[in-house]
Amino acid sequence: MPLWICEMKKMHLYQKGLVYIGLFFIFSLSSMILFDKPANLDIELNASQYAFYLNQVKGAYSEESEHFFANESAKISETKVKLKEASDDFYDGNINESEYILISTPLEEILQYEKGYKIIYDQFIYIREEPEQRYFLYTNGWDGLISNDNLDFLYILLLLVLVTPVFCFEFESKMNSLNLTVKKGGRNQALYKIGLICITVVMLCLLHAGLKFGFYWLKYGLENGNYPLQSLSYFATSTKSSTLLETFLWLTACKLFGSLCLAILIMFVSVLFKKYAFTLFTCTALILLPYYGFRLESSKYFLPGPLGFMVSSGYFRGNEYVRNMVNGQMIFVFKEVSTMLWLYLFVITLCLCIGMSLAILIRSTNKWCEIRPRFRLRPLHLMLVICVFFLSACTPNTRAGESNIYNYSFRQSYENEYYHFYVEESEGNETRIVFEVKQTGDKQHFVRNPMTSLTRVEKTVFGNGSYVYYMKYNSDKSEIREQMNRLSIIEVNTDTFDEKIVFEKNLNTVKTSINLFKSNNKEMAFFHSVSGFFLDEENIYLVGHDEIRRVHQSTGKMSVIIRFSVLRHLAFDGQTIYYIDEKSQVVKYDTRTDIEEVIPDLVTQYFILTNNEIIFLNRKDKQKIYAMNVSDSTFRRITDVPVLEFYFDEQSIFYVSKDDLKQYRLDWA
Amino acid sequence: MIKLIVFEFQKHFLKPSIIVAVLLFSLLSIAKIHSIQNTNSLFSGSNTSPAWKGLYWNLYEEFGGAITNEKIEKLMAIYRPLEYQTADRTASSDHNPDSYTGGNIYMDRNFFMWNYVNPMKYAYEYKMYANQVVSAAERNMDFFESIGNTFEYKKNAVIKELFQERSISIFSYKEMYHYYVQYDFSAFLVLLICLYSLMHVFISEKETDMEMLLLTTKSGNNKTIFAKLMASAIFVCMLCSWFWTVDFVAFSLLFGSFESASTPLYALEDFVNSSIGVSLSQYAIISGLIKTFGIFVLSLLFLVVSCFFKNALVPFIISLSIMISLIFMNEVYMGSGRTLQKIINPFVLIVNRELFRKTEFVDSFGYPMLHYMAAILLAVVWGLLLTLGITVFVKKNTLRKGVKRHAIMDL
């Protein structure tokens, strides 16, 4: 049997190399599927709106696109005004329905894509700074593929477990002296070993790169690979001229070189010290410590050795600065690695590799191996158990039961059988949520946590029977300034006033702990702008200033379900969301079936949802108060006079008449 | 027995490679602390001019120590005009040699604001805040009693007890502690060294096929296991004490101050709701002890994993992956209100500021337990389980072989 076949058998079969490789690809693929998040979540949540605009400006920046953006913003604001006018005309009876539809349909089509325009406009602002190098393109695919310097732990572990035993396996059984007597031993065998490892590593690296490319290509599509690198904001200030695809190829080549270098390093250390533990320890420390130890992200790229090449996206980045808070000067957060320096680093690392290979050859001794007793399956079992253990950490959290009616304009108050909860804004700037016991009229704080520092409670409550919810931001003061840390929605059982967290979002953008996992925080803005929320059994709905997002309570899956340009009013009855659209119509959105429909003839700027009726100011009848029965869609008039505003309780309805601006009371009966 | 422990200790831990690693990593840790000081300290060369440091310590003689009304008035007499002049950002930002810091008026304002006014204000107002917390807790006690929620009642009683009499009467230089309590890098280094050195404790005999021989000796079986565990514990303690001492001394020297040792922990603004009322120096010791315990629990985990294997390769990889996963879990729940998920992870003991910076409770059979106590208890449980695991798994092998041996002797 030729030597290389024997070595290959030893590596891949007896030492379970193939099993580890298989496991690596399974874990790697599943972690990509499970944990991959788009770099810019807004684009994914508003994919069709974004695509509409992207298709019109894709490619290089030109005068045309500049005009396009100038015109488009004007067009959108004009459209809004026109639509408002047309609606007013129609509701006042100046035009008839067919005319109105004729006017409004094209206008609505324009407004439909407004959110997409906002996203592409952000991109436009970025591109305008350097129009020659930055192109319009869909960035999530390429961003996911190349815009990160995350160390691939699984890959490092795989290399360690594959390469370490190549020499250690034989040292362990102390057969070195025997090796010297064998004809095919010595350098010859060491050469085969190195060659075999190099081939395996090359294959692995290429396969893995291919897998990643395939994954991002399938998930996002990797179009426009010929656009310049600077189109991605991660490489904004880069001075390298390269296209996206070229960069990916370069990164793969660098990673290949880095992996080879690491493999040779592992073999070198193992030949030198002949011990598993020491080899593994040294190599892990050499990779992990420079990766986490440096303050500047770029420092690791200035060191020769495998690490820089394994996470080589940094070689393509440009200088990045941030303003020092204390003295106001600009300081580096990333220092560019020049091509010259990169070449030096490459040559030094290459020389190190060659030196190490020579050292391996010189020091290597050979031994015709016997088959060691096989490993039992235990490590596999252990791994599986651990994985199951970590994957099963989530528990569902649902609250069944009938739902309460939620009206956005009443988000600062909620009433149930025993209590009335509301936001009190007295006492200077201090706002707090209080509740009143209905029987006794006692007033108490609703948020019972006595330690109020580093917590900000938002001025919104949501109630459902005896369960009342509030929202708070926690912060920490690990820097000079306070940092927002977490957004949580808390459920309070008002029978016992026990609190429970139903939703939590980490908003921390500064480093915590050892910070093994760097987070990307482009999606945080939405969570800072949440002005209200409501829940059903499975989902939490967060109201932002121009959209409503639905978050699944147990899986955390998030989607944008409703978009509007201006939030006028909305209500929720446990299944259906009612909101007012641009044409002042009330739209019904069913949260179970995701079907949206406009309620005919209901035109208003303000409404209140009750158990079975929508009470509203009828735009079509001079702002008189009307009520619409939700189940059979019949209308009834409540007042005969035009009304400015109204509210009501169980007994009566209170309204301010438009004619004399006086408040009136009207009993329901 | 002691001889056996000493022997095991010498065999596994007095190796040149470990000593070199400890020394090298100590240097690394010091370098890291230096970079923290250089980036963050208000007195480091990269942030401010050297004048700041001199000015600070000059004024410190005047304003440091007990906070009195005269001192506050004197300080405000300096600060108010600065604040007033810079309020609308129209004052000249030109270099002014007559200013306090030798820079311009904005720098003067920043200097006083960050170094004296804000910290002193916080210290001065803390008593009021603590009183507020106490009275809120008292109100809560009445309220929860009236609705019959005994758990919340007891919880608020504990909070009341904790915050009663809290006040900060002394103004001192706390910057060093501010960054010291957030420093974890050395723990990562210690974990790496433990991972390396503990791998061999149970494997070394298997690698040399001496484990059979060990069984025939008088002090084999449980005695050896006990000795190995003891030796490992001693090693972990020594290693941790060394690193925590190096950290503390490096922080103190690089920040140039041994001040604030007797200042209460809640004088750090991040610890405003702290769950323990100890002084900063006491906290440094407690935190060190808990960190050591956390590292010991993880070390036991490494030992358990290594019991299953004949060489160090696979257990090292598995232990490293578990370690990384635990760190990841810890980071996910850092700062979270989901207390149980946070404390079930023994790694939380290593990043233990998370346990002390907020007062949170865990429901243990109807009694509110402060979550740092619960975390320590859980870690003890983990530790016992893992020790049990070690005895069971190692013993199983020896027993099986022991039976065989017995049979041969019978023959």
Side-chain angles (χ1 to χ4, degrees), chain A residues 20 35 153 156-158 160-162 164-165 169 172 174 275-282 284-285 288-289 292-295 324-327 329 331 372-373 375-376 378-380 382-383 386 389-390 393-395 397 419 435 437 444-445 447-455 474-481 485-486 494-499 501-504 506 512-517, chain B residues 17 21 25 28 32 35 39-40 42 46-48 52 107 110 114 129 132-133 136-137 139-140 143-144 147 149 151-152 156 159 163 178-179 182 184-185 187-189 192-193 196 199-200 207-208 269-273 305 308-314 316-318 320-338 341 347 351 353 357-359 361 382 397 400:
Chain A
Y20 296 131
F35 300 120
F153 279 110
I156 302 267
L157 291 178
L158 176 73
L160 282 172
V161 84
L162 272 188
T164 320
F169 185 63
E172 198 198 0
K174 303 226 163 66
K275 284 270 188 279
Y276 273 124
F278 190 80
T279 311
L280 293 165
F281 167 68
T282 317
T284 319
L288 291 190
L289 294 185
Y292 296 117
F294 287 117
R295 185 183 59 84
N324 184 337
M325 232 188 63
V326 183
N327 57 15
Q329 281 164 5
I331 47 169
R372 293 276 305 172
F375 287 125
R376 277 155 292 179
R378 273 187 193 155
L380 277 187
L382 205 67
M383 267 186 185
I386 292 160
F389 176 72
F390 283 121
C394 311
T395 46
N397 175 15
Y419 306 109
F435 68 90
V437 186
Q444 297 258 17
H445 286 261
V447 180
R448 304 300 305 188
N449 184 5
M451 293 159 287
T452 50
S453 203
L454 298 181
T455 306
N474 281 345
S475 44
D476 66 43
K477 258 208 104 162
S478 53
E479 311 273 309
I480 287 185
R481 283 187 191 155
N485 197 339
R486 252 167 217 267
T494 55
D495 296 333
T496 58
F497 279 81
D498 281 327
E499 297 195 345
I501 299 169
V502 290
F503 172 77
E504 221 177 33
N506 194 348
T512 55
S513 178
I514 295 164
N515 203 50
L516 284 184
F517 297 86
Chain B
S17 61
F25 280 13
L28 260 181
K32 178 80 181 172
S35 92
T39 339
N40 296 312
L42 285 174
S46 64
N47 283 335
T48 54
W52 279 47
M107 278 189 182
N110 285 352
W114 284 325
Y129 174 68
Q132 267 172 20
V133 173
R139 277 201 305 275
N140 282 353
F143 173 73
F144 285 118
I147 60 165
N149 187 340
F151 176 79
E152 287 290 331
N156 281 285
I159 293 175
F163 278 79
H178 184 95
Y179 293 104
Q182 299 190 40
D184 315 299
F185 189 66
F188 186 60
L189 298 176
L192 276 183
I193 295 181
Y196 163 57
M199 264 315 102
H200 272 294
E207 274 183 340
T208 46
E269 287 174 52
D270 201 30
F271 286 70
V272 55
N273 298 323
V305 174
F308 295 99
F309 298 92
K310 291 221 155 185
N311 63 34
L313 175 67
V314 185
F316 189 97
I317 300 287
I318 292 180
L320 186 66
S321 344
I322 296 179
M323 187 174 110
I324 289 169
S325 330
L326 288 180
I327 296 177
F328 175 68
M329 295 291 284
N330 186 61
E331 269 171 24
V332 170
Y333 286 110
M334 188 98 169
S336 157
R338 299 183 200 268
Q341 280 98 319
F347 195 83
V351 192
R353 63 171 173 281
R357 60 176 281 266
K358 279 197 270 180
T359 306
F361 295 86
W382 278 120
N397 297 339
R400 202 171 57 221

Side-chain angles (χ1 to χ4, degrees), chain A residues 93-111:
Chain A
N94 299 342
I95 52 176
N96 65 29
E97 193 172 349
S98 56
E99 278 175 322
Y100 175 60
I101 291 172
L102 209 67
I103 301 171
S104 68
T105 317
L107 296 177
E108 269 167 28
E109 264 166 33
I110 295 169
L111 285 183

Side-chain angles (χ1 to χ4, degrees), chain A residues 47-59:
Chain A
S48 60
Q49 286 89 344
Y50 174 72
F52 173 77
Y53 279 103
L54 182 66
N55 289 335
Q56 300 181 53
V57 289
K58 209 175 217 172

